[in-house]
Amino acid sequence: MSTSTTTPEQDPELHTPLGGVPLTAGQLPRGAAPGMLVASAVAGLLLWLLAGWAIVPCALLAAAAYVVIVYTWSRAVEGPRKATDRLVTAIVSGAFLLALLPLISVLFTVVSKGLERFDAEFFTYSMVGVTGEGGGIYHAMMGTLIITGLAALISVPIGMLTAIYLVEYGRGKLAKAITFFVDVMTGIPSIVAGLFAYALFVMIFGPGVRMGIAGAVALSVLMIPTVVRSTEEMLKLVPNELREASYALGVPRWRTIVKVVLPTALAGIATGVTLAIARVIGETAPLLVTAGLTDGDNFDPFDGRMTTLSVYSYYEYVSPGLFAEASFDRAWGAALVLIIIVMVLNLIARIISKLFAPKTR
Amino acid sequence: MASTTEAPPRKDRAPQRPGDRIFAGISTGSGVLILLALAGVAVFLVTEAWPSLTAPAEDIPGGEGLALYIWPLLFGTLISAVLALVIAVPLAVAIALFITHYAPRSIAKALGYVIDLLAAVPSIIFGLWGINVLAPVTVDPTTWLSEHLGWIPFFAGPASSTGRTMLVAIIVLAVMVLPIITAVVREAFTQTPKLHEEAALAIGSTRWEMIRMAALPFARSSIIGASMLGLGRALGETMAVAMVLSASGGVSFNLISSENPPTIAANIALQFPESSGIAINTLIASGLVLFAITLVVNMIARAVINRRKDFSGAN
Amino acid sequence: GSANEEGASGGLTINGAGASSQEAAQSAWRTGFLKNNDGTINYDPVGSGGGREQFTSGGVDFAGSDAYLDDKEVKAAQERCGEGGFVEVPAYVSPVALITNIEGVDSIKLKPETIAKIFNQKITKWNDPEIAATNKGVDLPDTTIVPVNRADESGTTENFVEYLEAAAPEQWPHEVSGNWPVEGGEAAQGTSGVVQAVKNGSGTIGYADASQAGDLTTVEVGVGDEFVKYSPEAAAAVLDVSERAKGRGEHSFAYDLARDTKESGTYPIVLVSYVLSCTNYDNADKAAMVKDYFNYMISAEGQKAAAEQAGSAPISDELRSKIQPAVEAIGSSNSGS
Amino acid sequence: MAKRIEVKDLDIYYDKFLAVQGVSMTIQPRSVTALIGPSGCGKSTFLRTLNRMHELVPNARVEGSIVMDDDDLYAPSVDPVNVRRQIGMVFQRANPFPTMSIYDNVAAGLKLNNRRLKKSEMDDLVERSLKSANLWEEVKDRLQKPGSGLSGGQQQRLCIARAVAVQPEVLLMDEPCSALDPISTQAIEDLMLELKANYTIVIVTHNMQQAARVSDTTGFFNLQGVGKPGELVEIDETTKIFSTPSQKATEDYISGRFG
Amino acid sequence: MAKRIEVKDLDIYYDKFLAVQGVSMTIQPRSVTALIGPSGCGKSTFLRTLNRMHELVPNARVEGSIVMDDDDLYAPSVDPVNVRRQIGMVFQRANPFPTMSIYDNVAAGLKLNNRRLKKSEMDDLVERSLKSANLWEEVKDRLQKPGSGLSGGQQQRLCIARAVAVQPEVLLMDEPCSALDPISTQAIEDLMLELKANYTIVIVTHNMQQAARVSDTTGFFNLQGVGKPGELVEIDETTKIFSTPSQKATEDYISGRFG
Ligand SMILES: Nc1ncnc2c1ncn2[C@@H]1O[C@H](COP(=O)(O)OP(=O)(O)OP(=O)(O)O)[C@@H](O)[C@H]1O
Ligand SMILES: Nc1ncnc2c1ncn2[C@@H]1O[C@H](COP(=O)(O)OP(=O)(O)OP(=O)(O)O)[C@@H](O)[C@H]1O
Ligand SMILES: [Mg+2]
Ligand SMILES: [Mg+2]
């Protein structure tokens, strides 16, 4: 054989197994971890109920106790690697629970206060001629849908195409500049975006201009960077292997992007787009200076003032007059509707991405 | 029989079919459009800010000149955004991990949805929640902190009696950016190739080691990207901070007193409506500074990402 | 939406913008006015500064402002409105209440000097002898005083600070502006923010539109030798003892309020908010509508509506008769056509 | 129909790293050309330059010329997409589209290019392609399942079916049979012999017997040493290479017959 | 040291699809067991159940028992991490970590188990692992480059080096040489023969000659037909299988000698 030169040299050390721990040795007893969890939770509860401590330190203490005990016990019995694994598991799950706290708290607040005004009038009437109690959000609901819809119509294509440019075409200075400035764009304060859009429309239509589309433009300035960034990240995760497979079939680049790359990244892109919408749908300041505020229905984004839910909610809250209760109820109700709208959008995005997503996992 | 000569010989270097050229054209166009829009914003900012840049110091609100006016704002902006990110990023990564790698498969999707709900909450609601729910809750703990850990500059105290502190603003900001970061990172984690996860597990990694070996490096660029997105949001967040923060002080690391530096965006929202003349120019100038800050921060982040470009997970 | 009447489509639209303090009152006026008139009225509560800016640049037909126009703005307004100049009348008067949240205390009297010292953070305990001196028989606790001020620039702050400067110049050395001049208090956004902060804190004291005071304890303010609790009548009375600012055109009724009045039965901490319009509009119908609307705003009926909705203090008949001619001056040079 | 490919003085770079140097050869139409050589010598790299896939790697470059019939593939006026339409490729690592069903994977070449066929024609084409890759029997009941749920060998055959379905004029195959069992290997070899009546076929293989069985011409690539670029040592009729190679290196490599 | 693995009545499912049915066999310690069979018959699937990789596929299940020495691998008290730590695996499709350098790819497993390894020791082990996978010469100058910039065969060898570096007691290899040239194949085969002195080795291969050369025992998997589950038809000493198999199916498969 002529291959003797490349034959690996003798290597006794490598060629003996390291020998590991027995498969069953070093295991915490079954149910040890959940048991400990329950025990710490109970201890925390006792501290809270019996010793009369505040709930937060009790919970923290219980969590810390659980983590420490499980970690040290596991370290002693199962070794450091397994212990670290358990530690991370505890931390990760804890982080999730921790994140649920504000969520539950916020939702509870909004739902409990917002449900007050979930009646037919609320959804079918505007605020024309309403003082004190009553009144509805129909005009604001439609305004929100129209303005946010327009903003999405502007920013989703622009944002996605830009992301495509950055990932698929972009080389050189232009791409660098765009990447960079898109990042910068994420930091524009919303009011500045509003003032910018206002200034732009004043140049075209003269002073005092208020129209839905101006609001949509302002929102687009805020939305685009989120769309670009999240889409870009998702496109970058698509394996090059797939692009090559497609190119090798003689598929032009743009078709590869449209038919292979985008569908693969679709779930992520849909999430990104809903995030972007959620980001802007609750804006107030930029909309007030561009789209204004009105009591009545106006569904023409190219003429006259339009109210959106967030602006509506904000001003019901900050200048309630003497009938504060009624006003606050309307404010919270509008906020709840806003959340529901985003939820529905999110759901739609998920359905879309489910329909087109890779069928692998 | 199609032949390569079908396309007439052209002089340009990279011949492309019409579809490609159109597509490349419009996608480049969109990018350029963004640049133009941004240039527009920049021009707008500069022209509007200009009078305050050239105005004598005593005309600027506060009477001590532009730099001294903006400096506390800048400080407040940075400290709130950075600390919010310090809280949010690890939490977001942990949550994304929990959803993708720890939670039982059957409920993982639902959990993701639950977190996305947080993203659906508009700023003013976070503001209201911050004032009504979160701030009162923090009063006792911060009092305790100022009494026992007062030697740490962050907790110097005296604790605010209403809880409308920088700490609360930071927490609110963290909660606001959390779902954004989580969503992007979560998608990255779900995209981690099975092949690489299996490779890691097959050499005897625990779940966490597998995550460190395969999932985290793969999602690295996404984590940074998502954090940048979150940072932008935190830097630019207006209403929630304006509502929550008791901004009545100057530069201070003290997070739990009622004397806090305002943030640039919130300050604009607070002062803009009733301002006129040079005061407005000054506010816009502070917006310009925010713009510049975002620029610098992102420059740094980009540099970090590009350093390990070759090691991209897409290969 | 079908239930809504014609709205935008029926008749004329006039647009206004300005002070957010007027928003509730504007809503009441709008509603009341449109009961008997056609058309649409919009009011964007973008803030006084924005309102004045948009008014002088011709962006809106009328504006609301917590402060009267300064000299530069007067010129701009005259330029915009042309020949006849502009109309500037006080239409919204609102008492500013001092609200407190002190455990076990449900009535408290404070002299202007004491108020100034409290907000200047010279007096820091509720049981300070100076406070005790005017509150015999009240069990004042030994808690720290937490003064709450507006974080945003506002007419309320400006009026309150003006009051402090006029009524207690020794104790209040700060310059007057819409920005709170003292560092270190608790700052909160908007009236509702201040109310919220006062409510949530302990030992707090703040200033806010009286309509939002709710069930918080309000301070009786020392005027001369007596202590006055805020009331609409007491607040509106201030305008009657105040001087009209000079040299601003015949239709401008800007008042420098007599904050230091000793007049019995006046409540000196008030926010006076103006409405602005031109005397001349190209469009005769618009002119008529603006005029009618302004007339309604200052009418007894309009003032009553605002009082019921927004908790403002109706202006006195005496004042109304003074400013009526200014409103009557609104018209159109094209009225013939 | 089938094309002759003329390669002249080809240098292939990854950024600054010269991976393959000075390759000149003629690939005959209506024949099978096999490329053999040790791992890492640049066979895949060379193969990928033939249909301009190489330039997709960032900073990768090619110097020299590749002429197909009379067209320089790297001429500025040539659209790489057209090149790839005519020169199909099967990759070393199977890469079915995870977003697509098995059926769509095979139809991908047509569908992605928006060439519309009648449903029945398409079905027919898919079936024929899968049959020629010897996969039909195994997947006919689950054509709508994702392609990633297949075994390694099945994925490889799926990729072959996908490449065959677009009927290119030249077919490049990078170790098409490496993941296949003898039966499938036989089927693919049969396919190659069938196709060569009309197509030009280039395969990379580590399997000398396979090269000997199916190819008409064999090229041997080698490295001078570590870090040196790969070179085409010898190319000749297969029978000649496997009986009386003119180079010592070739003989050494061949004589260690494995596989 | 090396472990014996006892498989009994193993049924392997992908969700509802029964992929492999009723496998019983004994894998001897200190020997090489080869698994052969047509594509799609479940060799990889079976191999992946041996170190509990199979359960990573969503909804995948296993019924039956696998006992290593005296421990049931699927007992509830057994930690799959420990199983995989002792039973290493090389996958059919090379899967180096794209985010790591070549060095780190090999060191990845080492770092897990002996944290306190000195830099020099680590270097040493990496070098020796790469050498035994016959890759050292080719990559020693670019250890810090990403693993994805290697040729197909190099990637495969990198994965072998990575698996060997952690020194497991059992080594499962799914077609480890399919992407390799004869020289590297020889090197890997040598490695297997060396390792078997201390390790238990199971390989899947399509190459009968390779099975004949390196294995002591050979198992033949087959399918009854399309859609039917794969089965272990016969397992016996390699010499016996390749000379006088007891089953007709085995003989048919073997006799169509290819490869
Ligand atoms: N993830 C999966 N989901 C569903 N079915 C699968 C999956 N992976 C493999 N299969 C099916 O299980 C059967 C056995 O596949 P396996 O990969 O074990 O075959 P194999 O013997 O390794 O074949 P090859 O030699 O081609 O690699 C095949 O019919 C295959 O289609
Ligand atoms: N993307 C890349 N970037 C940098 N170098 C590369 C890249 N791909 C391959 N190389 C290097 O180029 C050389 C040739 O690689 P190539 O893939 O062509 O080898 P090969 O002959 O196909 O080997 P094998 O038989 O192992 O597949 C190798 O040294 C390899 O490490
Ligand atoms: Mg190769
Ligand atoms: Mg297999």
Side-chain angles (χ1 to χ4, degrees), chain D residues 41-183:
Chain D
C41 69
K43 305 178 296 297
S44 300
T45 304
F46 172 72
L47 205 68
R48 287 164 55 94
T49 54
L50 291 183
N51 68 343
R52 298 191 61 172
M53 293 298 291
H54 181 66
E55 64 203 55
L56 295 173
V57 178
N59 297 322
R61 295 176 291 121
V62 173
E63 282 168 17
S65 83
I66 301 179
V67 177
M68 183 162 78
D69 283 0
D70 290 321
D71 304 318
D72 184 350
L73 293 187
Y74 281 85
S77 61
V78 169
D79 181 353
V81 172
N82 283 336
V83 174
R84 293 182 202 130
R85 287 233 172 116
Q86 293 175 47
I87 310 185
M89 178 153 198
V90 175
F91 292 83
Q92 186 163 8
R93 234 170 76 140
N95 53 0
F97 295 113
T99 32
M100 297 182 191
S101 65
I102 294 173
Y103 182 100
D104 286 344
N105 258 290
V106 180
L110 296 180
K111 282 199 172 165
L112 292 180
N113 277 318
N114 229 9
R115 266 187 270 159
R116 293 192 198 291
L117 286 186
K118 271 199 232 100
K119 175 90 178 71
S120 61
E121 283 174 339
M122 187 68 99
D123 288 352
D124 201 46
L125 179 77
V126 168
E127 182 174 339
R128 263 185 293 130
S129 306
L130 282 171
K131 274 188 177 149
S132 58
N134 193 33
L135 187 60
W136 175 250
E137 285 301 321
E138 288 159 64
V139 299
K140 66 179 177 204
D141 299 327
R142 44 170 167 165
L143 287 174
Q144 295 312 325
K145 291 277 167 63
S148 50
L150 294 176
S151 82
Q154 288 166 338
Q155 291 191 13
Q156 187 71 14
R157 283 175 282 157
L158 182 60
C159 292
I160 294 174
R162 183 175 67 187
V164 171
V166 290
Q167 293 159 319
E169 311 194 16
V170 179
L171 194 57
L172 311 175
M173 296 181 161
D174 200 348
E175 305 188 29
C177 302
S178 69
L180 301 187
D181 62 304
I183 303 163

Side-chain angles (χ1 to χ4, degrees), chain D residues 25-47:
Chain D
M25 65 161 82
T26 305
I27 295 166
Q28 298 295 345
R30 294 200 174 71
S31 77
V32 177
T33 305
L35 304 178
I36 59 174
S39 173
C41 69
K43 305 178 296 297
S44 300
T45 304
F46 172 72
L47 205 68

Side-chain angles (χ1 to χ4, degrees), chain B residues 53-71:
Chain B
L53 299 178
T54 51
E58 59 273 16
D59 285 2
I60 305 291
E64 291 167 11
L66 194 60
L68 281 179
Y69 177 80
I70 292 180
W71 163 234

Side-chain angles (χ1 to χ4, degrees), chain A residues 1 3 6-11 13-25 27 30 81-82 84 241 361, chain E residues 1 73 77-79 82 85-86 93 112-113 115 128-129 131-132 134 167-169 183 186 190-191 194-195 198-199:
Chain A
M1 308 254 156
T3 55
T6 47
T7 311
E9 48 198 72
Q10 278 301 109
D11 188 357
E13 201 196 310
L14 192 61
H15 294 170
T16 48
L18 217 49
V21 276
L23 294 182
T24 47
Q27 287 266 48
R30 280 233 283 162
R81 291 179 51 204
K82 195 72 212 255
T84 312
E241 217 177 57
R361 293 167 185 275
Chain E
M1 192 64 121
L73 293 186
S77 62
V78 168
D79 183 354
N82 286 341
R85 167 68 195 77
Q86 291 179 44
R93 243 170 77 132
L112 295 181
N113 295 297
R115 271 158 207 280
R128 270 185 285 133
S129 305
K131 274 186 178 150
S132 59
N134 193 31
Q167 294 160 279
E169 315 203 11
I183 303 164
Q186 162 97 67
D190 288 350
L191 176 68
E194 255 161 51
L195 291 179
N198 295 304
Y199 294 78

Side-chain angles (χ1 to χ4, degrees), chain B residues 19-294:
Chain B
D20 251 339
R21 243 179 309 151
I22 294 168
F23 197 72
I26 56 173
S27 60
T28 315
S30 318
V32 172
L33 194 68
I34 290 183
L35 279 190
L36 287 181
L38 207 69
V41 173
V43 167
F44 168 76
L45 281 174
V46 171
T47 47
E48 290 288 310
W50 192 251
S52 75
L53 299 178
T54 51
E58 59 273 16
D59 285 2
I60 305 291
E64 291 167 11
L66 194 60
L68 281 179
Y69 177 80
I70 292 180
W71 163 234
L73 300 178
L74 181 58
F75 180 83
T77 308
L78 286 178
I79 196 170
S80 60
V82 168
L83 289 183
L85 222 57
V86 166
I87 297 176
V89 171
L91 262 183
V93 173
I95 294 166
L97 276 181
F98 180 80
I99 293 170
T100 52
H101 285 89
Y102 285 85
R105 269 192 200 100
S106 47
I107 61 166
K109 277 237 164 73
L111 293 182
Y113 188 70
V114 165
I115 294 294
D116 281 358
L117 267 185
L118 262 183
V121 180
S123 330
I124 53 164
I125 306 270
F126 275 116
L128 293 176
W129 173 77
I131 304 176
N132 285 315
V133 183
L134 184 61
V137 169
T138 61
V139 173
D140 288 338
T142 49
T143 313
W144 186 88
L145 282 175
S146 72
E147 278 162 15
H148 295 89
L149 297 174
W151 47 272
I152 301 175
F154 285 152
F155 305 132
S160 158
S161 74
T162 57
R164 303 171 63 264
T165 57
M166 187 56 96
L167 183 69
V168 169
I170 289 170
I171 295 176
V172 168
L173 281 179
V175 173
M176 291 177 77
V177 300
L178 192 67
I180 297 180
I181 305 178
T182 305
V184 174
V185 176
R186 184 186 68 216
E187 291 304 329
F189 281 147
T190 15
Q191 299 280 336
T192 312
K194 270 267 145 12
L195 220 56
H196 300 142
E197 291 183 10
E198 291 185 349
L201 288 173
I203 50 176
S205 328
T206 59
R207 178 154 51 179
W208 165 236
E209 286 159 348
M210 177 271 277
I211 288 166
R212 255 188 24 207
M213 230 180 268
L216 284 180
F218 182 80
R220 189 176 149 277
S221 131
S222 298
I223 293 174
I224 297 177
S227 306
M228 287 299 98
L229 214 52
L231 180 65
R233 177 86 208 258
L235 286 174
E237 177 51 41
T238 310
M239 215 39 105
V241 177
M243 291 170 83
V244 166
L245 186 64
S246 162
S248 67
V251 173
S252 149
F253 282 100
N254 191 350
L255 299 183
I256 59 172
S257 81
S258 54
E259 293 171 54
N260 305 288
T263 71
I264 291 178
N267 185 62
I268 296 179
L270 287 175
Q271 309 302 333
F272 184 80
E274 300 293 329
S275 296
S276 53
I278 194 94
I280 288 188
N281 303 128
T282 310
L283 290 177
I284 305 268
S286 70
L288 193 61
V289 170
L290 183 56
F291 207 71
I293 288 302
T294 326

